[in-house]
Amino acid sequence: FPVTIEHQCEGDLESTVFAFKDRTRWSKADLEILKRLRAEGQSVFEISLELGRTQLAVVWQLLERGA
């Protein structure tokens, strides 16, 4: 099925340079922050920095939630 989502990623989607939470479970608080930041129009790059996740992890969470 076709999925059309504008995610505004920058650079290497799997870079862990700023991903201090890489490979850790997403908490309910993380998911609420993700939802709020996306609603505010933040890019995937900006959200990944805020949450300490890779951009790829952020995109997957957004896709799973239909955002």
Side-chain angles (χ1 to χ4, degrees), residues 6-63:
E6 176 64 38
H7 285 300
Q8 304 160 322
C9 298
E10 296 178 26
D12 181 2
L13 299 183
E14 297 182 66
S15 175
T16 58
V17 172
F18 300 106
F20 58 89
K21 287 187 176 179
D22 188 42
R23 301 193 186 276
T24 62
R25 286 194 173 274
W26 286 71
S27 69
K28 287 184 180 184
D30 288 338
L31 295 173
E32 286 299 317
I33 293 168
L34 171 69
K35 182 179 176 181
R36 179 178 52 81
L37 294 175
R38 194 61 181 162
E40 292 174 359
Q42 297 293 316
S43 70
V44 167
F45 179 73
E46 294 165 326
I47 294 169
S48 70
L49 292 176
E50 177 78 22
L51 291 173
R53 304 285 182 169
T54 65
Q55 292 183 82
L56 187 59
V58 170
V59 169
W60 276 113
Q61 289 299 320
L62 291 170
L63 286 172

